[in-house]
Short mmCIF file of all heavy atoms in Angstrom, two decimals:
data_model
loop_
_atom_site.label_atom_id
_atom_site.label_comp_id
_atom_site.label_asym_id
_atom_site.label_seq_id
_atom_site.Cartn_x
_atom_site.Cartn_y
_atom_site.Cartn_z
N LEU N 24 -8.89 -3.30 10.77
CA LEU N 24 -8.60 -4.72 10.45
C LEU N 24 -7.29 -4.80 9.71
O LEU N 24 -7.13 -4.20 8.64
CB LEU N 24 -9.69 -5.28 9.54
CG LEU N 24 -11.06 -5.58 10.13
CD1 LEU N 24 -12.03 -5.90 8.99
CD2 LEU N 24 -10.99 -6.75 11.11
N GLU N 25 -6.37 -5.59 10.22
CA GLU N 25 -5.10 -5.72 9.50
C GLU N 25 -5.31 -6.56 8.24
O GLU N 25 -6.31 -7.30 8.13
CB GLU N 25 -4.02 -6.28 10.42
CG GLU N 25 -4.37 -7.60 11.03
CD GLU N 25 -3.30 -8.04 12.01
OE1 GLU N 25 -2.90 -7.22 12.86
OE2 GLU N 25 -2.87 -9.19 11.91
N PRO N 26 -4.38 -6.44 7.26
CA PRO N 26 -4.59 -7.10 5.96
C PRO N 26 -4.90 -8.60 6.06
O PRO N 26 -5.78 -9.10 5.33
CB PRO N 26 -3.27 -6.83 5.22
CG PRO N 26 -2.80 -5.53 5.78
CD PRO N 26 -3.21 -5.55 7.23
N ALA N 27 -4.25 -9.31 6.97
CA ALA N 27 -4.50 -10.76 7.07
C ALA N 27 -5.94 -11.02 7.52
O ALA N 27 -6.61 -11.94 7.03
CB ALA N 27 -3.51 -11.40 8.03
N ARG N 28 -6.46 -10.22 8.43
CA ARG N 28 -7.85 -10.36 8.91
C ARG N 28 -8.84 -10.01 7.79
O ARG N 28 -9.90 -10.61 7.68
CB ARG N 28 -8.11 -9.46 10.13
CG ARG N 28 -7.69 -10.03 11.44
CD ARG N 28 -8.38 -11.36 11.74
NE ARG N 28 -9.79 -11.22 12.10
CZ ARG N 28 -10.77 -12.02 11.68
NH1 ARG N 28 -10.52 -13.02 10.86
NH2 ARG N 28 -12.02 -11.81 12.06
N GLN N 29 -8.45 -9.01 6.98
CA GLN N 29 -9.32 -8.64 5.85
C GLN N 29 -9.44 -9.81 4.88
O GLN N 29 -10.52 -10.12 4.39
CB GLN N 29 -8.75 -7.43 5.12
CG GLN N 29 -8.76 -6.15 5.94
CD GLN N 29 -8.18 -4.98 5.17
OE1 GLN N 29 -8.46 -4.79 3.99
NE2 GLN N 29 -7.36 -4.18 5.83
N ARG N 30 -8.30 -10.47 4.63
CA ARG N 30 -8.32 -11.62 3.69
C ARG N 30 -9.17 -12.76 4.24
O ARG N 30 -9.95 -13.38 3.52
CB ARG N 30 -6.89 -12.09 3.39
CG ARG N 30 -6.15 -11.18 2.41
CD ARG N 30 -4.90 -11.85 1.87
NE ARG N 30 -3.90 -12.07 2.90
CZ ARG N 30 -3.01 -11.14 3.30
NH1 ARG N 30 -2.99 -9.95 2.74
NH2 ARG N 30 -2.13 -11.42 4.25
N GLU N 31 -9.05 -13.02 5.54
CA GLU N 31 -9.85 -14.08 6.17
C GLU N 31 -11.34 -13.77 6.07
O GLU N 31 -12.16 -14.63 5.74
CB GLU N 31 -9.51 -14.17 7.66
CG GLU N 31 -8.33 -15.05 8.00
CD GLU N 31 -7.95 -14.88 9.48
OE1 GLU N 31 -8.83 -14.61 10.33
OE2 GLU N 31 -6.75 -15.00 9.75
N LEU N 32 -11.67 -12.51 6.37
CA LEU N 32 -13.08 -12.10 6.35
C LEU N 32 -13.64 -12.17 4.93
O LEU N 32 -14.79 -12.57 4.73
CB LEU N 32 -13.17 -10.69 6.92
CG LEU N 32 -14.42 -10.26 7.67
CD1 LEU N 32 -14.93 -11.29 8.65
CD2 LEU N 32 -14.14 -8.93 8.40
N LEU N 33 -12.83 -11.80 3.96
CA LEU N 33 -13.26 -11.89 2.56
C LEU N 33 -13.54 -13.35 2.17
O LEU N 33 -14.56 -13.65 1.53
CB LEU N 33 -12.19 -11.27 1.64
CG LEU N 33 -12.41 -11.44 0.15
CD1 LEU N 33 -13.74 -10.84 -0.30
CD2 LEU N 33 -11.26 -10.81 -0.64
N ALA N 34 -12.64 -14.26 2.60
CA ALA N 34 -12.85 -15.68 2.30
C ALA N 34 -14.16 -16.16 2.95
O ALA N 34 -14.94 -16.89 2.34
CB ALA N 34 -11.66 -16.50 2.80
N ASP N 35 -14.41 -15.71 4.18
CA ASP N 35 -15.67 -16.06 4.86
C ASP N 35 -16.86 -15.54 4.06
O ASP N 35 -17.85 -16.25 3.85
CB ASP N 35 -15.71 -15.43 6.26
CG ASP N 35 -14.83 -16.15 7.27
OD1 ASP N 35 -14.46 -17.31 7.01
OD2 ASP N 35 -14.50 -15.53 8.30
N CYS N 36 -16.77 -14.27 3.62
CA CYS N 36 -17.89 -13.66 2.88
C CYS N 36 -18.18 -14.45 1.61
O CYS N 36 -19.34 -14.64 1.24
CB CYS N 36 -17.61 -12.21 2.53
SG CYS N 36 -17.67 -11.11 3.96
N ARG N 37 -17.12 -14.90 0.95
CA ARG N 37 -17.31 -15.68 -0.29
C ARG N 37 -18.06 -16.97 0.01
O ARG N 37 -18.91 -17.40 -0.76
CB ARG N 37 -15.97 -15.95 -0.95
CG ARG N 37 -15.42 -14.68 -1.60
CD ARG N 37 -14.21 -14.94 -2.48
NE ARG N 37 -13.96 -13.77 -3.31
CZ ARG N 37 -12.77 -13.16 -3.43
NH1 ARG N 37 -11.72 -13.61 -2.78
NH2 ARG N 37 -12.65 -12.11 -4.21
N ALA N 38 -17.72 -17.61 1.14
CA ALA N 38 -18.42 -18.85 1.52
C ALA N 38 -19.88 -18.55 1.87
O ALA N 38 -20.79 -19.26 1.44
CB ALA N 38 -17.70 -19.51 2.69
N TRP N 39 -20.12 -17.47 2.62
CA TRP N 39 -21.49 -17.13 3.02
C TRP N 39 -22.35 -16.74 1.81
O TRP N 39 -23.57 -16.91 1.83
CB TRP N 39 -21.47 -15.96 4.02
CG TRP N 39 -20.82 -16.31 5.31
CD1 TRP N 39 -20.86 -17.53 5.94
CD2 TRP N 39 -20.01 -15.46 6.16
NE1 TRP N 39 -20.13 -17.48 7.11
CE2 TRP N 39 -19.62 -16.22 7.27
CE3 TRP N 39 -19.61 -14.12 6.08
CZ2 TRP N 39 -18.83 -15.70 8.30
CZ3 TRP N 39 -18.83 -13.58 7.09
CH2 TRP N 39 -18.44 -14.37 8.20
N ALA N 40 -21.70 -16.24 0.76
CA ALA N 40 -22.45 -15.78 -0.42
C ALA N 40 -23.00 -16.93 -1.27
O ALA N 40 -23.86 -16.73 -2.11
CB ALA N 40 -21.56 -14.90 -1.28
N ARG N 41 -22.48 -18.15 -1.01
CA ARG N 41 -22.94 -19.29 -1.83
C ARG N 41 -24.34 -19.73 -1.42
O ARG N 41 -24.70 -19.66 -0.24
CB ARG N 41 -21.98 -20.48 -1.64
CG ARG N 41 -20.70 -20.27 -2.41
CD ARG N 41 -19.82 -21.53 -2.41
NE ARG N 41 -18.45 -21.08 -2.50
CZ ARG N 41 -17.55 -21.18 -1.54
NH1 ARG N 41 -17.85 -21.79 -0.40
NH2 ARG N 41 -16.34 -20.71 -1.70
N PRO N 42 -25.12 -20.23 -2.40
CA PRO N 42 -26.44 -20.76 -2.05
C PRO N 42 -26.29 -22.05 -1.25
O PRO N 42 -25.24 -22.68 -1.35
CB PRO N 42 -27.10 -21.03 -3.40
CG PRO N 42 -26.05 -20.90 -4.45
CD PRO N 42 -24.81 -20.33 -3.82
N PRO N 43 -27.30 -22.50 -0.52
CA PRO N 43 -28.59 -21.82 -0.33
C PRO N 43 -28.45 -20.60 0.59
O PRO N 43 -27.44 -20.45 1.26
CB PRO N 43 -29.44 -22.91 0.34
CG PRO N 43 -28.44 -23.80 1.04
CD PRO N 43 -27.19 -23.77 0.20
N ALA N 44 -29.48 -19.77 0.60
CA ALA N 44 -29.51 -18.53 1.40
C ALA N 44 -28.27 -17.69 1.10
O ALA N 44 -27.66 -17.15 2.01
CB ALA N 44 -29.66 -18.85 2.89
N GLY N 45 -27.88 -17.61 -0.17
CA GLY N 45 -26.68 -16.88 -0.56
C GLY N 45 -26.96 -15.45 -0.98
O GLY N 45 -28.02 -14.88 -0.67
N LEU N 46 -25.99 -14.89 -1.71
CA LEU N 46 -26.09 -13.50 -2.15
C LEU N 46 -27.33 -13.31 -3.01
O LEU N 46 -27.61 -14.11 -3.90
CB LEU N 46 -24.83 -13.18 -2.98
CG LEU N 46 -24.54 -11.71 -3.25
CD1 LEU N 46 -24.14 -10.99 -1.97
CD2 LEU N 46 -23.42 -11.58 -4.28
N ARG N 47 -28.08 -12.25 -2.75
CA ARG N 47 -29.30 -12.03 -3.53
C ARG N 47 -29.51 -10.56 -3.83
O ARG N 47 -28.92 -9.69 -3.19
CB ARG N 47 -30.51 -12.59 -2.81
CG ARG N 47 -30.97 -11.70 -1.69
CD ARG N 47 -31.94 -12.41 -0.79
NE ARG N 47 -32.84 -11.45 -0.14
CZ ARG N 47 -32.45 -10.57 0.77
NH1 ARG N 47 -31.20 -10.46 1.14
NH2 ARG N 47 -33.34 -9.76 1.31
N THR N 48 -30.36 -10.31 -4.80
CA THR N 48 -30.78 -8.94 -5.11
C THR N 48 -32.02 -8.66 -4.27
O THR N 48 -32.97 -9.45 -4.28
CB THR N 48 -31.10 -8.82 -6.61
OG1 THR N 48 -29.91 -9.13 -7.33
CG2 THR N 48 -31.56 -7.42 -6.96
N VAL N 49 -32.00 -7.55 -3.56
CA VAL N 49 -33.11 -7.23 -2.64
C VAL N 49 -34.15 -6.38 -3.38
O VAL N 49 -33.81 -5.35 -3.96
CB VAL N 49 -32.57 -6.47 -1.42
CG1 VAL N 49 -33.70 -6.18 -0.42
CG2 VAL N 49 -31.45 -7.24 -0.74
N ARG N 50 -35.39 -6.86 -3.35
CA ARG N 50 -36.48 -6.09 -3.96
C ARG N 50 -37.18 -5.25 -2.90
O ARG N 50 -37.43 -5.74 -1.80
CB ARG N 50 -37.48 -7.03 -4.63
CG ARG N 50 -36.97 -7.51 -6.00
CD ARG N 50 -38.02 -8.37 -6.69
NE ARG N 50 -38.15 -9.67 -6.05
CZ ARG N 50 -37.34 -10.72 -6.30
NH1 ARG N 50 -36.35 -10.61 -7.14
NH2 ARG N 50 -37.53 -11.87 -5.69
N THR N 51 -37.46 -4.01 -3.24
CA THR N 51 -38.14 -3.11 -2.29
C THR N 51 -39.64 -3.13 -2.59
O THR N 51 -40.04 -3.45 -3.72
CB THR N 51 -37.57 -1.68 -2.40
OG1 THR N 51 -37.54 -1.30 -3.78
CG2 THR N 51 -36.15 -1.61 -1.85
N PRO N 52 -40.47 -2.77 -1.58
CA PRO N 52 -41.93 -2.88 -1.76
C PRO N 52 -42.45 -2.05 -2.94
O PRO N 52 -43.42 -2.41 -3.57
CB PRO N 52 -42.50 -2.38 -0.44
CG PRO N 52 -41.39 -2.52 0.55
CD PRO N 52 -40.12 -2.38 -0.20
N GLY N 53 -41.77 -0.95 -3.25
CA GLY N 53 -42.20 -0.10 -4.36
C GLY N 53 -41.96 -0.70 -5.75
O GLY N 53 -42.30 -0.10 -6.76
N GLY N 54 -41.33 -1.88 -5.80
CA GLY N 54 -41.07 -2.53 -7.08
C GLY N 54 -39.65 -2.31 -7.59
O GLY N 54 -39.29 -2.82 -8.65
N GLY N 55 -38.85 -1.57 -6.84
CA GLY N 55 -37.45 -1.34 -7.23
C GLY N 55 -36.54 -2.45 -6.71
O GLY N 55 -36.99 -3.38 -6.04
N THR N 56 -35.26 -2.33 -7.05
CA THR N 56 -34.28 -3.25 -6.48
C THR N 56 -33.15 -2.43 -5.89
O THR N 56 -32.83 -1.35 -6.38
CB THR N 56 -33.68 -4.20 -7.55
OG1 THR N 56 -33.17 -3.42 -8.61
CG2 THR N 56 -34.70 -5.19 -8.05
N MET N 57 -32.54 -2.98 -4.84
CA MET N 57 -31.34 -2.34 -4.28
C MET N 57 -30.16 -2.68 -5.18
O MET N 57 -30.07 -3.81 -5.67
CB MET N 57 -31.11 -2.83 -2.85
CG MET N 57 -32.07 -2.23 -1.85
SD MET N 57 -31.92 -2.94 -0.18
CE MET N 57 -30.20 -2.62 0.20
N THR N 58 -29.26 -1.73 -5.36
CA THR N 58 -28.12 -2.00 -6.25
C THR N 58 -27.02 -2.78 -5.52
O THR N 58 -26.25 -3.49 -6.16
CB THR N 58 -27.54 -0.71 -6.84
OG1 THR N 58 -27.29 0.22 -5.78
CG2 THR N 58 -28.52 -0.10 -7.83
N ALA N 59 -26.93 -2.64 -4.20
CA ALA N 59 -26.00 -3.47 -3.44
C ALA N 59 -26.67 -4.83 -3.25
O ALA N 59 -27.82 -4.90 -2.85
CB ALA N 59 -25.69 -2.83 -2.10
N ARG N 60 -25.96 -5.91 -3.59
CA ARG N 60 -26.52 -7.24 -3.35
C ARG N 60 -26.16 -7.67 -1.93
O ARG N 60 -25.19 -7.17 -1.36
CB ARG N 60 -26.01 -8.23 -4.40
CG ARG N 60 -26.70 -7.99 -5.74
CD ARG N 60 -26.16 -8.89 -6.82
NE ARG N 60 -24.74 -8.68 -7.01
CZ ARG N 60 -23.90 -9.62 -7.44
NH1 ARG N 60 -24.32 -10.85 -7.68
NH2 ARG N 60 -22.62 -9.35 -7.61
N GLN N 61 -26.94 -8.59 -1.37
CA GLN N 61 -26.85 -8.82 0.07
C GLN N 61 -26.95 -10.28 0.46
O GLN N 61 -27.64 -11.06 -0.20
CB GLN N 61 -28.00 -8.05 0.71
CG GLN N 61 -27.87 -7.81 2.18
CD GLN N 61 -28.94 -6.85 2.66
OE1 GLN N 61 -30.07 -7.27 2.83
NE2 GLN N 61 -28.60 -5.59 2.86
N VAL N 62 -26.25 -10.63 1.53
CA VAL N 62 -26.46 -11.93 2.19
C VAL N 62 -26.51 -11.67 3.70
O VAL N 62 -25.84 -10.76 4.18
CB VAL N 62 -25.38 -12.97 1.79
CG1 VAL N 62 -23.99 -12.51 2.12
CG2 VAL N 62 -25.64 -14.32 2.43
N CYS N 63 -27.35 -12.42 4.40
CA CYS N 63 -27.53 -12.21 5.84
C CYS N 63 -27.11 -13.46 6.61
O CYS N 63 -27.20 -14.58 6.10
CB CYS N 63 -29.00 -11.96 6.17
SG CYS N 63 -29.74 -10.65 5.21
N LEU N 64 -26.71 -13.25 7.84
CA LEU N 64 -26.40 -14.34 8.77
C LEU N 64 -27.19 -14.11 10.05
O LEU N 64 -27.33 -12.97 10.49
CB LEU N 64 -24.91 -14.36 9.12
CG LEU N 64 -23.90 -14.41 7.97
CD1 LEU N 64 -22.48 -14.30 8.51
CD2 LEU N 64 -24.07 -15.66 7.13
N GLY N 65 -27.66 -15.20 10.65
CA GLY N 65 -28.36 -15.10 11.94
C GLY N 65 -29.84 -14.84 11.77
O GLY N 65 -30.67 -15.65 12.14
N TRP N 66 -30.17 -13.69 11.26
CA TRP N 66 -31.54 -13.34 10.90
C TRP N 66 -31.50 -12.82 9.48
O TRP N 66 -30.56 -12.11 9.09
CB TRP N 66 -32.09 -12.23 11.80
CG TRP N 66 -32.50 -12.66 13.16
CD1 TRP N 66 -31.73 -12.63 14.28
CD2 TRP N 66 -33.80 -13.15 13.55
NE1 TRP N 66 -32.45 -13.08 15.36
CE2 TRP N 66 -33.73 -13.41 14.93
CE3 TRP N 66 -34.99 -13.40 12.88
CZ2 TRP N 66 -34.81 -13.89 15.66
CZ3 TRP N 66 -36.08 -13.88 13.60
CH2 TRP N 66 -35.98 -14.13 14.98
N HIS N 67 -32.53 -13.14 8.71
CA HIS N 67 -32.63 -12.65 7.33
C HIS N 67 -33.36 -11.32 7.33
O HIS N 67 -34.52 -11.23 7.75
CB HIS N 67 -33.39 -13.67 6.49
CG HIS N 67 -33.63 -13.20 5.09
ND1 HIS N 67 -32.63 -13.18 4.15
CD2 HIS N 67 -34.74 -12.70 4.49
CE1 HIS N 67 -33.11 -12.70 3.03
NE2 HIS N 67 -34.39 -12.40 3.20
N TRP N 68 -32.67 -10.26 6.87
CA TRP N 68 -33.34 -8.97 6.75
C TRP N 68 -33.91 -8.83 5.35
O TRP N 68 -33.26 -9.19 4.36
CB TRP N 68 -32.36 -7.81 7.01
CG TRP N 68 -33.06 -6.49 6.86
CD1 TRP N 68 -33.81 -5.85 7.81
CD2 TRP N 68 -33.08 -5.67 5.68
NE1 TRP N 68 -34.31 -4.68 7.29
CE2 TRP N 68 -33.89 -4.55 5.99
CE3 TRP N 68 -32.54 -5.77 4.40
CZ2 TRP N 68 -34.14 -3.53 5.06
CZ3 TRP N 68 -32.79 -4.76 3.47
CH2 TRP N 68 -33.57 -3.65 3.81
N TYR N 69 -35.14 -8.36 5.28
CA TYR N 69 -35.74 -7.98 3.99
C TYR N 69 -36.55 -6.73 4.28
O TYR N 69 -36.88 -6.46 5.44
CB TYR N 69 -36.57 -9.13 3.42
CG TYR N 69 -37.77 -9.51 4.25
CD1 TYR N 69 -39.05 -9.13 3.86
CD2 TYR N 69 -37.62 -10.21 5.45
CE1 TYR N 69 -40.16 -9.44 4.63
CE2 TYR N 69 -38.72 -10.52 6.23
CZ TYR N 69 -39.99 -10.13 5.81
OH TYR N 69 -41.08 -10.43 6.60
N PRO N 70 -36.85 -5.93 3.23
CA PRO N 70 -37.56 -4.66 3.51
C PRO N 70 -38.99 -4.93 3.99
O PRO N 70 -39.77 -5.44 3.20
CB PRO N 70 -37.57 -3.97 2.15
CG PRO N 70 -36.46 -4.62 1.37
CD PRO N 70 -36.45 -6.05 1.81
N TYR N 71 -39.31 -4.63 5.21
CA TYR N 71 -38.58 -4.05 6.31
C TYR N 71 -38.84 -4.86 7.57
O TYR N 71 -39.59 -4.44 8.44
CB TYR N 71 -39.00 -2.58 6.47
CG TYR N 71 -38.59 -1.77 5.24
CD1 TYR N 71 -39.49 -1.53 4.22
CD2 TYR N 71 -37.27 -1.33 5.11
CE1 TYR N 71 -39.09 -0.82 3.07
CE2 TYR N 71 -36.87 -0.61 3.96
CZ TYR N 71 -37.78 -0.37 2.95
OH TYR N 71 -37.41 0.30 1.83
N ALA N 72 -38.23 -6.03 7.65
CA ALA N 72 -38.41 -6.91 8.80
C ALA N 72 -37.30 -7.96 8.81
O ALA N 72 -36.45 -7.98 7.92
CB ALA N 72 -39.78 -7.60 8.74
N TYR N 73 -37.33 -8.82 9.84
CA TYR N 73 -36.40 -9.93 9.94
C TYR N 73 -37.16 -11.26 9.93
O TYR N 73 -38.29 -11.33 10.45
CB TYR N 73 -35.60 -9.84 11.24
CG TYR N 73 -34.47 -8.83 11.22
CD1 TYR N 73 -34.58 -7.62 11.89
CD2 TYR N 73 -33.30 -9.11 10.52
CE1 TYR N 73 -33.53 -6.71 11.88
CE2 TYR N 73 -32.25 -8.20 10.51
CZ TYR N 73 -32.37 -7.00 11.19
OH TYR N 73 -31.33 -6.11 11.17
N ALA N 74 -36.55 -12.28 9.35
CA ALA N 74 -37.15 -13.62 9.34
C ALA N 74 -36.04 -14.64 9.54
O ALA N 74 -34.85 -14.31 9.43
CB ALA N 74 -37.87 -13.87 8.03
N ARG N 75 -36.41 -15.89 9.80
CA ARG N 75 -35.41 -16.96 9.98
C ARG N 75 -35.10 -17.67 8.67
O ARG N 75 -34.18 -18.47 8.59
CB ARG N 75 -35.90 -17.98 11.02
CG ARG N 75 -35.78 -17.48 12.44
CD ARG N 75 -34.32 -17.23 12.83
NE ARG N 75 -34.18 -17.14 14.27
CZ ARG N 75 -33.04 -16.84 14.89
NH1 ARG N 75 -31.94 -16.58 14.21
NH2 ARG N 75 -33.00 -16.78 16.19
N THR N 76 -35.92 -17.42 7.65
CA THR N 76 -35.68 -18.02 6.33
C THR N 76 -35.67 -16.90 5.28
O THR N 76 -36.14 -15.79 5.54
CB THR N 76 -36.78 -19.04 5.97
OG1 THR N 76 -38.04 -18.36 6.00
CG2 THR N 76 -36.80 -20.22 6.93
N VAL N 77 -35.15 -17.21 4.10
CA VAL N 77 -35.06 -16.21 3.04
C VAL N 77 -36.44 -16.11 2.37
O VAL N 77 -36.68 -16.65 1.29
CB VAL N 77 -33.94 -16.56 2.04
CG1 VAL N 77 -33.77 -15.45 1.01
CG2 VAL N 77 -32.62 -16.78 2.78
N VAL N 78 -37.33 -15.40 3.06
CA VAL N 78 -38.74 -15.35 2.65
C VAL N 78 -38.93 -14.66 1.29
O VAL N 78 -39.91 -14.90 0.61
CB VAL N 78 -39.63 -14.64 3.71
CG1 VAL N 78 -39.83 -15.52 4.92
CG2 VAL N 78 -39.03 -13.29 4.12
N ASP N 79 -37.98 -13.81 0.91
CA ASP N 79 -38.10 -13.11 -0.38
C ASP N 79 -37.08 -13.66 -1.39
O ASP N 79 -36.70 -12.98 -2.33
CB ASP N 79 -37.90 -11.61 -0.18
CG ASP N 79 -36.53 -11.29 0.42
OD1 ASP N 79 -35.87 -12.22 0.95
OD2 ASP N 79 -36.09 -10.12 0.34
N GLY N 80 -36.63 -14.91 -1.15
CA GLY N 80 -35.64 -15.50 -2.05
C GLY N 80 -35.87 -17.00 -2.16
O GLY N 80 -37.01 -17.42 -2.40
#
Side-chain angles (χ1 to χ4, degrees):
L24 286 170
E25 57 185 48
R28 276 302 287 138
Q29 294 180 43
R30 283 195 294 276
E31 274 171 31
L32 211 45
L33 172 59
D35 285 341
C36 288
R37 287 190 166 129
W39 295 325
R41 284 189 210 112
L46 195 69
R47 77 194 207 292
T48 299
V49 183
R50 281 184 288 277
T51 49
T56 53
M57 285 174 58
T58 51
R60 286 176 301 151
Q61 197 171 78
V62 58
C63 307
L64 306 175
W66 283 93
H67 176 75
W68 179 83
Y69 64 104
Y71 295 97
Y73 282 106
R75 284 297 197 184
T76 58
V77 185
V78 287
D79 59 344

